Amino acid sequence: MEATRTIVVGVTGGIAAYKSAELVSRLRKEGFAVHVIMTRNACRFVAPLTFRTLSGNPVLCDTFEEDGPWAVQHVGVAEAADLLVIAPATANIIAKMAHGLADDLLSTVVLATAAPVLVVPSMNSTMLVSAVVQENLRTLRQRGVTILEPAEGELACGVSGPGRLPEPADIVARIRELLAPAADLAGKTVLITSGPTQEDIDPVRFITNRSSGKMGFALARQALRRGARVLLVSGPTALPAPAGAEVFWVRSARDMCARTLELLPQSDVVIGAAAVADYRPRHVSRQKVKKGDGELHIELERNPDILAEVARCKGARVTVGFAAETEDVLANARVKMEKKKLDLLVANDVTMEGAGFGVDTNVATILSPDGRAESLPRMSKEQLADEILDRVVALL
Ligand code: C5P
């Protein structure tokens, strides 16, 4: 039987603290031993008794308390942890962690533990995107802390944007991954195209699309976690580059194509997650185009199809494409699959809620060459990335 693993859940003072009750409950149901550490402010949002009942253990709030199970609380709990998850993580705990402060039990345990740490930020969008919070998150990532990206949506403060605590099920899934990293892509090189391309009209204007690069980056993170070397050819995006990936930044479809073909010989798997512009302006004006009184016509010419180019020298590689459609999803996807000689095609209807551009979730159907079409439920892009890689591994 698998030994019981201990998850220490740090709860800080955010409105999403109530969702951590469900997190703790799920962890217990999945067979983990759970100890909860609450900050003083967290206790203002949810009563410690809730967590005590759900975890089945005394809740730890104070460094100098006497009634915890260990002689020296912060060292005992830090050593007992197989993983420390902080959910919700406020801007304050993130800042304290980035700077090594240890002025309460949770921040002290963070310093005292050798276990992997998962931080799940949740706060108002403006706070989240502020330069200092982002800088602190970058620092933590660089030090090997895993950050689970906040979800987007309606926030308690009334605004809508990034900052929501992800669903407890997604947090548990991430915890499981961190505890048991599969190394089934060790020794393999995965080449991923990601993000939009930009096609210049003149020195200040370009044509682009709504791709955020989230799906490609999630694939890169999951492939890294499974032991792969990752070559990521990315169009412009505001996302932080996945730590450990070799990133090649490009702008136009032609640059992306050239880079991909250059890296192709090194790869075992090619995943085309980029939203490549199909057309580019035939003439790029060297000067800024001046406005006149009448209409302006821009003549467009075809861009190369990167996956079709890859197909020409595919060899034994496993290739995966995406098909973002707005109608006749499966029929269009099947044609694409054949034309680009793909082993897997991930089709989605981008008009569906929770699918496609910019959002953190996706609703996809995975097509295999034998004609099978597997419809997956709505899930995070991280989870979908893992589903795709499961099938890639089976094909390798
Ligand atoms: O034909 P369509 O653009 O719908 O195909 C989508 C798939 O093909 C995606 O995997 C995308 O990354 C890839 N693609 C490409 N080069 C293009 C257009 C699409 O690699 N010029």
Side-chain angles (χ1 to χ4, degrees):
M1 219 182 82
E2 204 186 335
T4 303
R5 307 235 244 168
T6 300
I7 309 294
V8 175
V9 179
V11 183
T12 66
I15 186 64
Y18 75 94
K19 283 198 193 170
S20 301
E22 190 189 335
L23 172 65
V24 169
S25 156
R26 275 180 183 266
L27 287 169
R28 279 297 299 285
K29 281 189 196 127
E30 296 214 7
F32 293 104
V34 181
H35 291 277
V36 177
I37 304 175
M38 296 180 79
T39 61
R40 190 187 294 273
N41 284 341
C43 298
R44 299 172 70 117
F45 287 92
V46 182
L49 182 60
T50 305
F51 286 109
R52 183 187 186 111
T53 311
L54 292 171
S55 70
N57 282 310
V59 169
L60 309 167
C61 295
D62 182 346
T63 318
F64 304 106
E65 230 162 21
E66 301 275 318
D67 73 340
W70 297 280
V72 182
Q73 295 306 330
H74 66 281
V75 178
V77 72
E79 285 179 351
D82 288 300
L83 182 137
L84 169 62
V85 52
I86 306 182
T90 56
N92 186 48
I93 186 73
I94 290 165
K96 290 205 293 186
M97 287 174 73
H99 297 283
L101 295 188
D103 61 352
D104 63 3
L105 184 63
L106 179 58
S107 51
T108 309
V109 168
V110 168
L111 288 180
T113 191
V117 179
L118 173 63
V119 166
V120 193
S122 171
M123 65 195 78
N124 160 276
S125 307
T126 312
M127 291 173 77
L128 178 69
V129 302
S130 73
V132 66
V133 171
Q134 288 300 316
E135 178 73 45
N136 288 338
L137 287 172
R138 242 187 322 274
T139 303
L140 294 184
R141 261 190 215 101
Q142 279 160 3
R143 291 196 199 125
V145 172
T146 304
I147 313 290
L148 186 53
E149 292 297 330
E152 287 197 27
E154 195 77 16
L155 300 175
C157 48
V159 299
S160 192
R164 274 171 71 88
L165 194 80
E167 289 310 312
D170 288 337
I171 303 175
V172 173
R174 198 53 175 275
I175 289 171
R176 283 214 167 276
E177 287 167 16
L178 287 170
L179 285 173
D184 50 9
L185 282 172
K188 302 289 180 197
T189 299
V190 179
L191 172 57
I192 301 170
T193 69
S194 177
T197 66
Q198 294 180 348
E199 311 297 331
D200 286 340
I201 297 169
D202 67 17
V204 294
R205 304 174 178 106
F206 52 78
I207 298 173
T208 190
N209 59 61
R210 293 174 55 196
S211 169
S212 62
K214 283 183 177 173
M215 193 63 234
F217 278 34
L219 280 157
R221 277 192 297 271
Q222 294 302 327
L224 285 163
R225 187 185 58 79
R226 298 169 80 132
R229 173 181 176 220
V230 172
L231 308 174
L232 181 59
V233 182
S234 175
T237 154
L239 304 175
E246 293 162 55
V247 188
F248 302 86
W249 296 106
V250 293
R251 286 190 61 232
S252 69
R254 280 192 294 183
D255 293 346
M256 184 176 274
C257 190
R259 249 314 175 206
T260 304
L261 294 179
E262 178 195 319
L263 296 167
L264 185 65
Q266 303 178 41
S267 68
D268 302 289
V269 178
V270 182
I271 307 180
V276 186
D278 293 320
Y279 293 91
R280 64 172 179 271
R282 185 182 294 280
H283 305 288
V284 181
S285 172
R286 289 165 59 128
Q287 309 298 335
K288 185 178 165 194
V289 176
K290 291 265 183 291
K291 63 173 160 293
D293 291 329
E295 292 171 353
L296 173 69
H297 293 270
I298 299 172
E299 202 184 335
L300 300 176
E301 62 184 355
R302 277 299 301 263
N303 263 329
D305 187 311
I306 303 172
L307 284 182
E309 295 295 323
V310 167
R312 302 207 300 175
C313 31
K314 179 174 181 329
R317 290 178 190 85
V318 172
T319 57
V320 183
F322 279 76
E325 302 287 349
T326 55
E327 56 190 351
D328 293 336
V329 178
L330 290 187
N332 286 326
R334 287 220 164 83
V335 173
K336 231 162 257 184
M337 185 160 195
E338 196 153 329
K339 209 169 102 201
K340 305 188 192 199
K341 287 205 213 148
L342 299 171
D343 298 295
L344 291 171
L345 189 129
V346 186
N348 59 358
D349 183 339
V350 289
T351 60
M352 269 175 88
E353 202 185 316
F357 296 122
V359 295
D360 293 307
T361 53
N362 218 338
V363 189
T365 300
I366 302 187
L367 305 187
S368 308
D370 59 11
R372 257 185 317 136
E374 277 179 274
S375 293
L376 301 175
R378 189 171 79 101
M379 58 179 70
S380 68
K381 287 185 174 172
E382 300 288 336
Q383 270 179 298
L384 178 59
D386 227 21
E387 293 282 346
I388 295 167
L389 293 174
D390 283 346
R391 287 158 182 82
V392 167
V393 168
L395 288 168
L396 273 170

